[in-house]
Amino acid sequence: MGIRRKNFFLQTAAVIFMFLYTLLRLFDISTLTAVVDIAGSEQIPMVGLLACLFFMKLLNKEDIRGLFFGILVFFAFLISNYNGQTNFITIILLTIGLSNQNIIPYVKSIYFATMIGLLGILLMRTIGFIPELTGISPRGNVRYSLGFMSDRGFSDNYFYFCQLFIFLKYENLKKVWLIILLVPMIPLYYYNEARATLILMILMVVMVWISKVNRKNMTPLLYRLANITYLLSLVFTVLTAVLYNSLSKTWVFIDNIFSGRLHLSKFFIDNFPPKLLGQQLPLGLDSGKLWLNYNKNYLMLDSGYMTMLIEAGILIFTIMTIIILITFKKLRDSRENVSLILWIIMGLNLIQTRPLNPTAVQVLQLSKAFGKRTRTYKIVERETFNK
């Protein structure tokens, strides 16, 4: 079997593993787990996916330094205490494995798996095969999970589906499709009351609309916004957690807008200070220690930035931030406006939830940080200047 055929076989297998990982991960966070024991089943296709990616690296004799780096990172943290819910080690290994590859086949596999998973969960919930859960929002309203374990589960994953759709269809995207994508969020808000998700969805639609209508080169502006959004959101989340007790009533009001997440971050950073190699947060914490005026049983680290810092650890927090900032520059160089827009949305979303996982299109884009350097941006800017 020639190298080309081996490459085709390995890439096909990797795409299939990505599809299975995405589908099983969706099922694992649905109430299907109450009917069928599938907990952790998505780990098997992820191992298969990573194996295929690194075998392709060895086969093509490229990025050997990246491969060795990935192996070193893997073994270094294999002996650590890290066991967070979001596996940033997997994300780093995945992005190294995807470097210099076309990510579109993988994004398509995530797209179809997400669509099939959402429809399947909704169908199983409708016919009564899986149970429906209800909860109370911080504002005291009833939330319906629509077949997910989390009240916001369906809204959040539909939001991810919309991001995948826009990313794949961006070049030929008709503006009417943005309205069509936005419409289902209205009834979903009625069932889930996922306020932040609805706001981010509207913001994403507006930004994509402007980028499609505006004929000017928006890449420099979007690049700056991506950096500003990510860094300011990160600093805002960490500093408000550290300085919460000394903040004014205005900040407490802002915390209420974020459903108490700033105070939750304070609780965790006080009781579980960040460590170099991360830590496993124990279950069954005493929620009585938290003096929120509402939702007293809600005690979890619900912030992407704080998860990265406290669960994954200071080293991974630093590595991930460097990779993300390098990726922004690569996206600017290749003038990928839609990718920068999606990262602006991700930067805001990381304040209030933990969406940074291997199924996010933004994670696949991080592979550009390990890829070959491009000069597209400088060439385009030079040509514009000469004109």
Side-chain angles (χ1 to χ4, degrees), residues 267-268 272 280-289 297 299-300:
F267 173 86
F268 279 96
F272 306 96
Q280 181 178 3
L281 298 181
L283 300 176
L285 294 171
D286 180 12
S287 60
K289 295 178 181 178
N297 294 323
L299 185 55
M300 63 179 293

Side-chain angles (χ1 to χ4, degrees), residues 72-88:
L72 287 174
V73 170
F74 176 75
F75 282 108
F77 286 91
L78 197 64
I79 60 174
S80 74
N81 294 324
Y82 169 69
N83 190 24
Q85 287 183 294
T86 304
N87 194 338
F88 291 95

Side-chain angles (χ1 to χ4, degrees), residues 129-335:
F129 181 74
I130 61 176
E132 169 70 3
L133 300 181
T134 58
I136 303 297
S137 74
R139 289 157 292 281
N141 299 319
V142 178
R143 280 175 161 176
Y144 299 91
S145 70
L146 298 178
F148 279 82
M149 297 297 292
S150 168
D151 299 338
R152 305 189 322 264
F154 200 96
S155 291
D156 286 348
N157 283 284
Y158 174 74
F159 181 41
Y160 300 155
F161 170 80
C162 293
Q163 294 178 50
L164 293 164
F165 181 91
I166 290 173
F167 178 80
L168 291 172
K169 309 293 184 181
Y170 181 75
E171 293 301 325
N172 301 309
L173 183 67
K174 296 180 180 180
K175 293 186 286 293
V176 67
W177 277 104
L178 295 173
I179 305 300
I180 294 174
L181 290 172
L182 182 58
V183 168
M185 287 298 295
I186 308 302
L188 282 176
Y189 178 76
Y190 171 78
Y191 282 103
N192 297 151
E193 202 179 319
R195 182 177 57 180
T197 305
L198 177 61
I199 294 172
L200 289 173
M201 179 72 176
I202 294 172
L203 179 61
M204 180 180 68
V205 167
V206 170
M207 293 183 69
V208 173
W209 187 295
I210 293 174
S211 71
K212 294 294 291 183
V213 173
N214 196 333
R215 296 184 179 181
K216 296 181 180 179
N217 179 18
M218 294 186 62
T219 305
L221 174 61
L222 292 173
Y223 169 69
R224 295 187 189 98
L225 285 175
N227 281 277
I228 292 170
T229 302
Y230 181 85
L231 292 174
L232 283 185
S233 298
L234 186 155
V235 172
F236 167 80
T237 305
V238 176
L239 281 185
T240 51
V242 174
L243 305 175
Y244 193 91
N245 287 340
S246 60
L247 296 176
S248 64
K249 293 182 179 180
T250 303
W251 286 100
V252 176
F253 172 77
I254 293 174
D255 189 21
N256 289 334
I257 295 176
F258 285 98
S259 302
R261 285 182 174 85
L262 305 182
H263 191 201
L264 284 168
S265 296
K266 175 203 177 307
F267 173 86
F268 279 96
I269 207 167
D270 285 348
N271 290 275
F272 306 96
K275 297 180 180 178
L276 181 65
L277 300 180
Q279 60 194 304
Q280 181 178 3
L281 298 181
L283 300 176
L285 294 171
D286 180 12
S287 60
K289 295 178 181 178
L290 208 61
W291 51 262
L292 289 175
N293 294 325
Y294 51 81
N295 215 19
K296 294 183 182 298
N297 294 323
Y298 179 72
L299 185 55
M300 63 179 293
L301 189 56
D302 201 5
S303 166
Y305 295 114
M306 298 305 292
T307 301
M308 206 186 318
L309 178 61
I310 295 177
E311 284 191 331
I314 298 171
L315 182 57
I316 285 293
F317 179 83
T318 305
I319 292 173
M320 285 295 300
T321 299
I322 292 172
I323 292 173
I324 289 169
L325 295 180
I326 293 174
T327 300
F328 291 166
K329 186 178 183 303
K330 294 292 183 74
L331 294 174
R332 182 202 67 176
D333 291 348
S334 54
R335 299 186 68 181

